[in-house]
Amino acid sequence: MKTLNQSDKDYLLKTIRDIKDFPKPGIIFKDITTLLGDAKAYNFLMDHLADRYQNEDIDFIAGIESRGFIFGAALAAKIGGCFVPIRKPGKLPYTTISEKYSLEYGVDEVEIHIDAFKCTKENPKVLLIDDLIATGGTATAAVSLINKAGATCVEACFLLNLTFLQGDEEIKKTTPVYSVLELD
Ligand code: AMP
């Protein structure tokens, strides 16, 4: 597996745009649409993630709404895995399990279909994916949902970790964490 060197990381970092005071004053929002709009950078990132996970024992990739869908669905297609959406309340049509959590800016809830990980295998293995760790609340709630739905989260993967908020420490209590880029 190829690890990214500092110049690879700097290259990806430069494609992410900072939006000050969004969605409210004091927040610097990490805008990944600029990365997605750069075909070379987006492919470079997805190739790196595929390289990291393609030989791992992973049955499902669970993406957190909404930016986790973009990376998670693309990764699932690349490594031949199944994709499962973890969504905001009221979006999933079948019976759901839900979990409340705190955000960097507010309180929210995530849901998953009760049968999301139904497969012939007992205790399926899940890779969780999202764009960013802030407080770690969303991902911790998502790991809890994965467990409640009868699966095991083998790793939580993020593009960006805002290390100064130490959210990764919270997530690491429940599952290993990998972040492509770290910002302090
Ligand atoms: P948290 O639960 O605090 O770790 O927040 C992570 C979730 O909120 C992720 O789904 C992010 O997309 C979003 N988020 C939180 N803070 C930011 C930020 N500064 N820039 C972009 N997205 C953020």
Side-chain angles (χ1 to χ4, degrees):
M1 187 204 315
K2 184 185 172 291
T3 52
L4 296 188
N5 61 33
Q6 196 52 51
S7 96
D8 294 332
K9 291 182 183 186
D10 290 343
Y11 165 64
L12 284 175
L13 263 178
K14 277 192 195 125
T15 67
I16 299 165
R17 175 166 60 183
D18 281 1
I19 309 288
K20 273 191 190 153
D21 299 324
F22 182 88
K24 66 179 202 182
I27 304 289
I28 298 175
F29 192 87
K30 297 293 178 184
D31 178 14
I32 57 138
T33 62
T34 40
L35 186 160
L36 301 174
D38 179 334
K40 213 171 135 224
Y42 186 28
N43 273 285
F44 180 78
L45 171 66
M46 295 317 303
D47 284 348
H48 167 62
L49 294 179
D51 179 54
R52 180 177 176 84
Y53 293 111
Q54 64 197 350
N55 296 319
E56 297 300 318
D57 182 14
I58 293 168
D59 303 300
F60 295 89
I61 296 176
I64 301 175
E65 185 172 1
S66 59
R67 290 176 292 273
F69 292 180
I70 299 166
F71 301 117
L75 182 59
K78 262 177 114 65
I79 68 173
C82 309
F83 179 75
V84 166
I86 292 180
R87 300 209 64 179
K88 305 269 166 64
K91 300 283 187 183
L92 289 168
Y94 187 58
T95 311
T96 57
I97 308 168
S98 69
E99 189 85 22
K100 285 199 170 60
Y101 66 99
S102 307
L103 267 182
E104 189 186 4
Y105 39 85
V107 176
D108 217 331
E109 197 172 350
V110 279
E111 291 187 344
I112 196 167
H113 273 152
I114 195 160
D115 62 350
F117 304 118
K118 267 229 170 100
C119 64
T120 47
K121 207 174 163 189
E122 233 178 80
N123 194 18
K125 308 269 190 307
V126 180
L127 172 70
L128 177 67
I129 190 159
D130 201 5
D131 64 332
L132 181 144
I133 311 173
T135 65
T138 315
T140 303
V143 173
S144 172
L145 278 184
I146 290 167
N147 293 334
K148 282 186 190 170
T152 298
C153 184
V154 290
E155 187 157 270
C157 171
F158 305 87
L159 171 60
L160 274 165
N161 179 8
L162 306 184
T163 52
F164 56 91
L165 292 171
Q166 298 181 327
D168 56 331
E169 295 305 322
E170 201 49 41
I171 306 164
K172 279 178 196 161
K173 290 177 189 165
T174 58
T175 196
V177 172
Y178 173 66
S179 49
V180 179
L181 307 171
E182 301 198 321
L183 287 175
D184 36 42

